[in-house]
Amino acid sequence: MKKILMVLTSHDKLGNTGAKTGFWLEEFAAPYYVFKDAGAVITLASPLGGQPPLDPKSDDPASQTEATHRFRADPAAQAHLANTLKLSDVSAQDFDAVFYPGGHGPLWDLAEDVLSIQLIETMLAAGKPVATVCHAPGVLRHPKGADGQSVVFGKSVTGFTNSEEAAVGLTDVVPFLVEDMLQHNGGLYSKGADWLPYVVTDGLLISGQNPASSEPAAKALLQALV
């Protein structure tokens, strides 16, 4: 049985807007069930542990999917999510892969979190895949490879597009734009149409563009573990 670590944000403030943010429900629920249905052992972690903050907009009726409905009817999964481990209490050596769901929250905490940076560097150095979706490719901002270069340098990657960020009106709120950061770090950034599924795999790095990409990104991670 493959052991997969899912790392969620603990950050709930949307910049200085006074609004709330956190993780995006679909980007957690869809991969969670892809992994669960494949028989993987799933461990959940976050910087602060406990219940990660849910982006309230991801609870809107328009944002619901088969996976989110399944989660809402699954008390065991809800209890699992409410009791994430602290990131400081997990070790890369205990897992075969790591998956980062998005939502805007990771741009503030996980992108700058020393333990998350070390986790990604250690996983990749050990030949273990790292998957991120939507805003979560922001966690690749600081990790470096053995050569001292960004882990995305020369790698094909995707992530939430500048046009998608503009569409949700948060271009001037987020601490950085995922598309710009990936390009600045030397990533070979590409994208599909806004809001449609688009996933890129390059070696151990798997990235998805937006919420619709969460399930195919999770499936790509499973494929990388075969």
Side-chain angles (χ1 to χ4, degrees):
M1 271 194 260
K2 297 299 183 182
K3 296 179 180 178
I4 300 176
L5 175 65
M6 297 183 73
V7 181
L8 296 105
T9 183
S10 293
H11 185 88
D12 69 350
K13 294 180 178 62
L14 189 60
N16 57 7
T17 63
K20 292 292 188 182
T21 190
F23 74 94
W24 198 261
L25 184 57
E26 158 69 9
E27 295 168 30
F28 164 75
Y32 182 86
Y33 287 117
V34 167
F35 301 148
K36 183 179 175 66
D37 293 346
V41 177
I42 307 167
T43 299
L44 306 181
S46 61
L48 299 180
Q51 174 72 56
L54 174 68
D55 186 314
K57 289 187 177 176
S58 73
D59 233 0
D60 288 348
S63 299
Q64 302 317 298
T65 65
E66 184 179 338
T68 66
H69 289 305
R70 181 175 172 185
F71 175 75
R72 290 302 186 197
D74 186 346
Q78 293 170 33
H80 195 184
L81 179 65
N83 292 281
T84 67
L85 301 175
K86 285 187 178 178
L87 203 48
S88 57
D89 292 334
V90 300
S91 173
Q93 68 186 17
D94 295 332
F95 302 99
D96 298 302
V98 62
F99 188 99
Y100 284 80
H104 284 86
L107 298 184
W108 277 275
D109 64 350
L110 290 171
E112 308 298 329
D113 188 285
V114 172
L115 294 175
S116 178
I117 293 165
Q118 290 174 346
L119 173 69
I120 292 166
E121 292 177 344
T122 303
M123 294 292 286
L124 294 175
K128 298 175 179 180
V130 173
T132 60
V133 68
C134 200
H135 285 89
V139 305
L140 303 175
R141 188 182 194 186
H142 297 302
K144 291 181 168 53
D147 58 2
Q149 296 270 28
S150 168
V151 295
V152 304
F153 184 83
K155 296 287 188 181
S156 296
V157 288
T158 191
F160 205 59
T161 67
N162 289 353
S163 52
E164 286 168 328
E165 200 68 82
V168 297
L170 295 173
T171 301
D172 297 325
V173 173
V174 292
F176 62 92
L177 294 167
V178 173
E179 178 179 339
D180 287 356
M181 180 278 289
L182 292 171
Q183 292 178 328
H184 176 76
N185 281 3
L188 306 177
Y189 181 87
S190 63
K191 57 189 174 183
D194 285 1
W195 312 116
L196 294 182
Y198 186 75
V199 175
V200 174
T201 299
D202 190 336
L204 298 172
L205 284 181
I206 298 157
S207 46
Q209 178 179 315
N210 48 34
S213 308
S214 54
E215 183 173 321
K219 291 179 176 177
L221 180 59
L222 287 182
Q223 192 62 39
L225 290 172
V226 172

